[in-house]
Amino acid sequence: MDNIQEAITLQNVSFSANGTEILHQLNGGFPAGNISVLVGPSGAGKSTLFRLLNGMRSADKGEIYIHGKNIAQFDPTDLRRTVGIALQQAPMLQGTVWKNLSLPRKLQGKELTKEEAQKLLRIVNLDEQLLDRKAKELSGGQKQRLSIARTLVNQPPILLLDEITSSLDQVSAHEIEKLIIHLNQAYQTTIIWITHSLEQARKVGDYAYVMMNGKIVESGNIDLLTHPSSDSVKNFIKGDQS
Amino acid sequence: MSYFTLVLALVFVLIPLILSKSLKLGLEKDTIIATVRSIIQLLAVGYILKFVFASDSYFYIGLMIVLMIAAATQNARKKGTSIKGITMKLVITFIFVEILTQAILLGLHITPPTAQYIIPISGMMIGNSMVLGILFLNRFTAELQAHEEEVELILTLGGTPKQAIHTQLINSIKASTIPTIESQKTIGLVQLPGMMSGQIIAGADPVQAVFFQLLVLFLLLTAAVTTSVLLGFLSYPTLFNERMQFLNERIKTED
Ligand SMILES: Nc1ncnc2c1ncn2[C@@H]1O[C@H](COP(=O)(O)OP(=O)(O)OP(=O)(O)O)[C@@H](O)[C@H]1O
Ligand SMILES: [Mg+2]
């Protein structure tokens, strides 16, 4: 991975909440322009790492760099526009699909144009007719698409995805996978994708990171999910398939 | 009324006590505590006021107001433990409401600058400001707990703390002031306001009593809206740090 540019670099990153250390001395980097998958058992600290990456929390120790620039040097709002995130819950504000989609632009005191909205909806494959519907009434899959489109309004070069297909049926999940791969290829968006499905991880990922008990225990080419070197990762993978 | 008739009036405390006892409502203890406290507190206030009126000194008037603000702060702060420095924020709010209302009342010569006017009106302003403060803090905490996800969503999309909290702040200000405004719409139709009734019983001209009641109602509108707005804008920044992170643990550990 040495010759590939890093979108995100971690140096001895530790994080505690309520007196317990959740992340222990994380090191490593996520390559730019690729899809990295982040897997590991529940409670390993994957979502917590994401919260550090987009500045919703700050590391207690260590440094995080985005495209070589220390996270502490970013204005928080710029950081969050640079590192976009989509969550499993796909939270929506009260109101219409349009209100939700145009929100990121509103927050900058600007308006989303009709053309931009149409383009975004086309990317995520959502029907334009839905713009006047109440966002909370959308189906799980539609909500997830809207959530992704909304994050894309800021055109983030880095996109964090936290179990975005976990509550979706197979067909919707598959379409979201295609959509993310398309984003990566068309815009060179760096993707880091937390997933509980190793099958999905192997399908979409270029690189894999395995987290356990607040540590990154293995990282490297996606093949490591098929041929892990450590016993703990072997057990984790076996457990997943049973 | 004399002390003897006041003792006779305790019959009205016996009635709920007997009902509570026979129907096992379990209200006896609280009823007795409430009765004893109200007797002691009000009598004390009565005699203190008598002294302050007689002395006619601005020092004692000021002291009374300081005590009222201290008591109101003590009461309201328990509801705002999730907000850092809530005590100071409440004190600022109460002082602001007090100064604002008295400045207008005295400045425009609506009421004369005597203890007889300043103290009861201050009491009503600060007391109401306290109730509003508690209503606001309750509502604001509840709104934030219920809509934590939305606050964080706005932050993750590049919004500022003020943008992230805007809806919850406005909803809480509205919800806490609406009861004051609504209750004034039906006032006089169903029941006469307590203060006015008291004045009429004490022998005042009913129209004069109405004038004063109206003055108080208008003052209460100011107290209500000012309290919620001021407390809201003083409070919300403490829920975020300088990295624009939402410190939601504060709200969760609340209860
Ligand atoms: N605010 C917090 N205060 C205390 N502990 C927390 C807090 N947030 C997370 N944790 C703890 O940190 C650990 C890691 O949580 P995290 O949500 O990052 O795990 P995860 O890998 O995303 O798990 P999952 O796969 O179930 O989503 C867990 O033990 C969790 O209980
Ligand atoms: Mg998680």
Side-chain angles (χ1 to χ4, degrees):
Chain A
M1 251 183 270
D2 292 341
N3 52 351
I4 295 175
Q5 251 203 328
E6 280 178 355
I8 297 177
T9 312
L10 306 174
Q11 280 180 6
N12 290 313
V13 173
S14 297
F15 176 76
S16 315
N18 298 329
T20 34
E21 195 168 90
I22 299 174
L23 301 177
H24 317 285
Q25 301 247 340
L26 303 186
N27 279 295
F30 295 96
N34 288 285
I35 301 184
S36 300
V37 292
L38 182 53
V39 300
S42 192
K46 305 180 294 293
S47 301
T48 306
L49 175 59
F50 271 15
R51 287 174 69 73
L52 296 190
L53 296 183
N54 76 342
M56 297 302 283
R57 286 291 176 269
S58 299
D60 303 318
K61 291 186 216 123
E63 309 296 333
I64 300 174
Y65 299 89
I66 305 289
H67 298 133
K69 179 172 164 186
N70 196 314
I71 241 178
Q73 247 88 68
F74 275 84
D75 174 81
T77 55
D78 284 343
L79 173 63
R80 290 164 193 163
R81 291 192 182 106
T82 307
V83 185
I85 190 164
L87 304 169
Q88 177 182 359
Q89 307 87 298
M92 291 295 152
L93 293 192
Q94 206 84 48
T96 60
V97 169
W98 167 258
K99 181 183 167 188
N100 274 277
L101 186 62
S102 56
L103 175 64
R105 199 52 69 73
K106 264 257 159 56
L107 295 173
Q108 290 181 283
K110 297 178 199 154
E111 283 294 335
L112 192 72
T113 66
K114 259 269 155 356
E115 293 70 46
E116 284 176 301
Q118 286 164 345
K119 185 176 171 217
L120 287 161
L121 291 180
R122 223 176 300 125
I123 293 174
V124 300
N125 199 12
L126 262 189
D127 194 331
E128 207 184 306
Q129 307 276 303
L130 294 175
L131 278 174
D132 297 324
R133 287 264 298 278
K134 289 207 177 101
K136 295 203 187 224
E137 288 171 3
L138 296 182
S139 74
Q142 289 172 325
K143 242 189 237 171
Q144 195 53 257
R145 282 161 207 277
L146 175 57
S147 162
I148 294 167
R150 187 175 56 188
T151 304
L152 293 180
V153 172
N154 286 330
Q155 302 185 312
I158 301 173
L159 184 57
L160 311 177
L161 308 172
D162 195 344
E163 297 188 37
I164 54 167
T165 62
S166 295
S167 47
L168 304 185
D169 60 86
Q170 285 257 317
V171 179
S172 314
H174 183 64
E175 294 204 352
I176 299 262
E177 286 165 5
K178 280 202 301 200
L179 152 65
I180 298 298
I181 292 169
H182 166 75
L183 275 179
N184 170 251
Q185 286 170 352
Y187 305 97
Q188 283 73 54
T189 308
T190 304
I191 312 271
I192 308 177
W193 194 337
I194 295 177
T195 172
H196 268 280
S197 155
L198 289 180
E199 188 196 328
Q200 181 176 63
R202 291 190 192 101
K203 189 158 58 176
V204 301
D206 302 312
Y207 296 94
Y209 297 74
V210 186
M211 268 186 91
M212 283 179 178
N213 300 318
K215 295 192 188 104
I216 297 178
V217 290
E218 253 186 75
S219 64
N221 192 278
I222 192 69
D223 293 337
L224 83 83
L225 292 184
T226 326
H227 311 289
S229 48
S230 73
D231 283 344
S232 50
V233 177
K234 269 179 202 153
N235 287 335
F236 165 66
I237 287 170
K238 246 187 262 156
D240 185 84
Q241 280 158 343
S242 64
Chain B
M1 259 179 91
S2 64
Y3 270 103
F4 176 68
T5 45
L6 183 61
V7 170
L8 282 185
L10 284 175
V11 171
F12 294 112
V13 178
L14 280 179
I15 294 172
L17 281 179
I18 293 167
L19 278 176
S20 171
K21 187 95 186 148
S22 44
L23 295 177
K24 293 194 171 62
L25 300 177
L27 299 172
E28 297 98 306
K29 199 176 148 210
D30 281 323
T31 309
I32 292 174
I33 291 175
T35 308
V36 172
R37 280 191 63 159
S38 56
I39 292 174
I40 295 175
Q41 288 165 199
L42 286 181
L43 279 180
V45 166
Y47 283 104
I48 292 172
L49 286 180
K50 207 167 172 174
F51 166 77
V52 173
F53 287 6
S55 79
D56 204 21
S57 134
Y58 282 114
F59 172 76
Y60 285 116
I61 296 178
L63 190 65
M64 284 286 298
I65 293 172
V66 168
L67 287 177
M68 288 179 201
I69 291 179
T73 305
Q74 185 57 31
N75 250 322
R77 58 183 287 201
K78 291 168 221 150
K79 295 295 171 193
T81 46
S82 54
I83 289 155
K84 217 169 140 189
I86 187 63
T87 308
M88 210 50 220
K89 294 177 169 56
L90 285 166
V91 169
I92 293 172
T93 305
F94 295 148
I95 290 179
F96 183 83
V97 168
E98 168 68 11
I99 291 179
L100 178 73
T101 50
Q102 291 297 342
I104 296 173
L105 285 173
L106 301 178
L108 297 179
H109 300 292
I110 299 173
T111 55
T114 58
Q116 189 199 339
Y117 288 91
I118 296 178
I119 292 179
I121 291 177
S122 298
M124 283 186 276
M125 288 303 100
I126 296 168
N128 246 272
S129 195
M130 175 190 81
V131 171
L132 256 292
I134 292 174
L135 277 179
F136 172 79
L137 290 172
N138 274 340
R139 183 61 184 238
F140 194 43
T141 313
E143 282 273 327
L144 291 177
Q145 281 168 341
H147 300 281
E148 189 187 332
E149 229 179 24
E150 284 151 65
V151 174
E152 289 237 314
L153 168 70
I154 293 175
L155 290 178
T156 61
L157 291 172
T160 60
K162 193 173 174 185
Q163 290 173 322
I165 207 105
H166 184 261
T167 308
Q168 280 66 45
L169 187 60
I170 297 302
N171 285 349
S172 311
I173 291 174
K174 266 197 196 155
S176 57
T177 52
I178 280 174
T180 303
I181 298 168
E182 282 303 310
S183 69
Q184 298 198 6
K185 287 189 189 161
T186 54
I187 203 152
L189 296 179
V190 188
Q191 78 183 131
L192 293 179
M195 180 197 113
M196 197 174 107
S197 311
Q199 267 191 302
I200 293 174
I201 291 169
D205 169 29
V207 175
Q208 271 296 310
V210 166
F211 280 6
F212 273 104
Q213 185 63 54
L214 284 175
L215 170 64
V216 168
L217 292 183
F218 300 158
L219 284 169
L220 292 184
L221 287 177
T222 285
V225 179
T226 314
T227 301
S228 289
V229 169
L230 193 57
L231 204 50
F233 281 89
L234 288 175
S235 299
Y236 90 81
T238 66
L239 297 168
F240 299 86
N241 64 17
E242 72 295 343
R243 294 296 295 162
M244 300 193 186
Q245 294 164 351
F246 183 38
L247 306 171
N248 45 0
E249 298 86 359
R250 292 227 175 109
I251 307 156
K252 270 187 235 154
T253 49
E254 169 75 358
D255 40 21

